[in-house]
Amino acid sequence: MPFVHVHMWEGRTVEQKRALTKAITDAMVEHAGANPDALHVAISEYPKENWARAGVLGIDRKDV
């Protein structure tokens, strides 16, 4: 049972998440020999104020 966990900032549409999970599933089938019926993809979304890189919160970054 392959399990792919995606962590990202919130803000994507349901259509974007559909496309993302389809692309991940297709890639796992093609490159890892996964059975698509047994593959799980979980998306965890975080507000920018709950994610930091290099000690700077996402809401304070100027490069995103």
Side-chain angles (χ1 to χ4, degrees):
M1 170 189 76
F3 188 96
V4 178
H5 197 159
V6 178
H7 298 269
M8 63 185 180
W9 285 342
E10 63 186 1
R12 272 69 172 203
T13 66
V14 172
E15 284 304 315
Q16 288 173 310
K17 293 177 205 176
R18 282 188 184 111
L20 176 62
T21 57
K22 174 77 167 91
I24 289 169
T25 299
D26 291 347
M28 287 293 293
V29 169
E30 180 179 350
H31 299 289
N35 174 353
D37 293 329
L39 177 68
H40 298 259
V41 178
I43 299 173
S44 293
E45 297 182 284
Y46 303 90
K48 289 184 179 183
E49 66 265 19
N50 291 347
W51 189 304
R53 186 179 77 195
V56 180
L57 288 174
I59 57 171
D60 298 326
R61 297 194 68 88
K62 304 300 182 215
D63 60 340
V64 291

